[in-house]
Amino acid sequence: VPNAYLQTKVAIIRIGEDEPVLLTTEDLDRKAWGPAFSPDGSHIYVTLEDDGQVQLASVSVDDGTLSRPVTGQVRVEATAVAPDGSVVAVISGPMLPSDLFVLDAGSSELRRLTQVNDELLSSIVLSDVEELRFPTLDGTEIQTFVYKPRDFDPDYPYPTILWLHGGQESQYDYGFNFRVQLFAANGYIVVMPNVRGSGGRGLEFALALNKAYGTKDVEDVIVATDYVIEQGYVDPDRLGVGGWSSGGTLTNMVIAKTDRFAGAISGASVGWYTSTYGHDPYQRWWHTELGTPWENRDLWDSVSPFMEVANITTPTLFIGGEKDWNQPIIHSEQMYQAMKQLGREASLVVYPDAHHGIRRPTYHKDLLERFVGWFDKYVKGSP
């Protein structure tokens, strides 16, 4: 049962009744999805997002009692309930690409079923994650994940990338992240903040950006940047920022507010929200939060980074798919055109016949090479 802001609860409609009965109440204040009954119908398994973890939870049908059979530094990505009551789950971790695990009926211990990437993993070096927590400007605690290069030296100031998550109300978690591993393998510190407006911390935390994109989220990116610089291993003169989807949009907003980043990547981002009204799939969201653009033009413009594009001096790569209906490519085209009109350093890459995710293997290889190349050129200062 989602509300207008995607904070989902587990509910059940009993036969002969019209109204759903909430099983997870406001006390939980976390998103739950993917419900599946146990074979005896006594409880419902769900995937639960909670403070940087993605857990497997079980909810009693009788009284809504919640248990969490799978927690920890993992991301539960998919589940299926077997006839004997066992639960099979796809699970990943910071240094573990997805594998199958099983939680046998009556057991509290996960049993691993597959080792799909063991041969590959034995031949490469991956970075483990470090979790940081610190207060932002209003005192709210912010969670940030940091990945460090191989043979990390705490006394050496590294080039650093602030990589911002998409989904806006989603979260960074402990699941495997190939793109971040690639950056770390190329010598970068990678900083991944769960800024205000992210998921995993409850509805109030997510609604911090209601009608206010580009405010508290930008503040938290800057605070996270300052915090890792204070740790002594980040070079303040070699900073990059980037992200995909709403992470790309936040990137646009960050570089419109500060010139401290040497290079930026804006992937599948939004520039001017009004320009794709009626074209993207979010009309209900926009009407609920922003109203209509002809009645609330100032509000629509206030959350659009395009309106501050003249402030951007950071060299920026705008990149996305030709047939992206989620965050249409016209936004990247407009941001790029404005940057060129202003005489700023920018590049535009559009993948033909591609949508919001760049799936074709040759395209994806090209995408990753451009990411590393752009940061190498503008953040590291490499040819």
Side-chain angles (χ1 to χ4, degrees):
V1 179
N3 67 12
Y5 296 101
L6 308 182
Q7 187 76 347
T8 52
K9 303 291 184 182
V10 180
I12 188 169
I13 301 176
R14 303 184 190 278
I15 295 174
E17 298 180 8
D18 295 328
E19 295 298 321
V21 177
L22 283 177
L23 297 180
T24 54
T25 67
E26 296 303 321
D27 294 336
L28 178 63
D29 195 23
R30 294 292 186 267
K31 287 190 289 186
W33 65 92
F37 274 103
S38 63
D40 62 4
S42 64
H43 54 279
I44 298 171
Y45 288 105
V46 294
T47 307
L48 186 68
E49 179 186 81
D50 191 6
D51 202 18
Q53 298 183 24
V54 182
Q55 307 168 346
L56 175 67
S58 173
V59 184
S60 168
V61 170
D62 288 335
D63 59 13
T65 301
L66 181 79
S67 62
R68 307 183 190 219
V70 178
T71 63
Q73 294 189 2
V74 297
R75 178 173 64 214
V76 176
E77 300 178 351
T79 61
V81 182
D84 67 354
S86 300
V87 181
V88 178
V90 179
I91 294 177
S92 73
M95 297 193 293
L96 175 69
S98 301
D99 263 315
L100 286 171
F101 291 77
V102 64
L103 186 69
D104 293 313
S107 173
S108 60
E109 297 294 329
L110 280 173
R111 179 165 54 87
R112 188 171 176 177
L113 295 179
T114 62
Q115 294 84 29
V116 173
N117 290 291
D118 277 9
E119 182 178 353
L120 171 64
L121 294 177
S122 68
S123 66
I124 62 175
V125 175
L126 294 176
S127 297
D128 203 357
V129 68
E130 178 185 6
E131 182 198 44
L132 302 177
R133 292 179 181 266
F134 46 83
T136 190
L137 297 186
D138 70 352
T140 302
E141 183 181 77
I142 298 300
Q143 176 191 51
T144 292
F145 293 112
V146 177
Y147 286 78
K148 299 171 182 175
R150 180 181 182 179
D151 300 325
F152 170 72
D153 179 352
D155 296 321
Y156 175 77
Y158 286 87
T160 299
I161 298 169
L162 275 288
W163 194 249
L164 312 178
H165 69 68
Q168 195 172 57
E169 82 298 328
S170 67
Q171 64 164 6
Y172 274 131
D173 56 48
Y174 285 103
F176 186 76
N177 190 317
F178 177 83
R179 193 167 296 171
V180 169
Q181 291 286 354
L182 179 66
F183 291 148
N186 279 273
Y188 293 94
I189 298 282
V190 188
V191 181
M192 305 157 62
N194 279 325
V195 300
R196 282 172 291 179
S198 300
R201 297 276 296 279
L203 187 58
E204 182 180 355
F205 191 85
L207 291 181
L209 296 186
N210 185 39
K211 301 182 178 67
Y213 316 154
T215 56
K216 296 175 181 178
D217 48 354
V218 172
E219 290 177 3
D220 294 349
V221 172
I222 300 303
V223 169
T225 304
D226 290 336
Y227 187 84
V228 292
I229 289 173
E230 290 169 4
Q231 307 313 301
Y233 50 69
V234 167
D235 187 340
D237 296 322
R238 294 191 293 169
L239 296 172
V241 64
W244 194 266
S245 192
S246 63
T249 306
L250 179 53
T251 296
N252 294 343
M253 293 169 168
V254 168
I255 58 178
K257 303 286 188 183
T258 178
D259 62 358
R260 67 191 301 180
F261 292 96
I265 293 174
S266 175
S269 68
V270 168
W272 186 18
Y273 281 98
T274 307
S275 67
T276 53
Y277 176 83
H279 182 74
D280 69 36
Y282 298 111
Q283 304 316 301
R284 182 183 177 194
W285 185 338
W286 303 143
H287 289 166
T288 300
E289 184 171 356
L290 303 178
T292 60
W294 55 91
E295 294 175 315
N296 297 320
R297 178 63 179 272
D298 289 346
L299 177 58
W300 280 70
D301 284 353
S302 73
V303 299
S304 297
F306 183 78
M307 294 301 145
E308 300 182 62
V309 68
N311 297 330
I312 300 175
T313 58
T314 303
T316 305
L317 170 62
F318 297 97
I319 190 165
E322 175 195 19
K323 295 183 178 179
D324 186 346
W325 287 79
N326 199 47
Q327 299 200 167
I329 195 63
I330 189 174
H331 292 292
S332 296
E333 294 170 336
Q334 290 172 334
M335 292 293 293
Y336 167 76
Q337 183 61 45
M339 290 276 284
K340 299 303 283 187
Q341 182 69 24
L342 291 162
R344 312 288 162 71
E345 183 67 28
S347 183
L348 174 67
V349 175
V350 181
Y351 291 99
D353 200 34
H355 298 268
H356 194 57
I358 308 302
R359 307 297 185 196
R360 187 178 298 180
T362 52
Y363 284 2
H364 199 74
K365 179 175 182 289
D366 180 85
L367 177 84
L368 296 175
E369 289 173 344
R370 290 180 187 274
F371 280 2
V372 173
W374 192 267
F375 283 136
D376 279 357
K377 180 177 180 180
Y378 291 102
V379 177
K380 282 185 181 178
S382 302

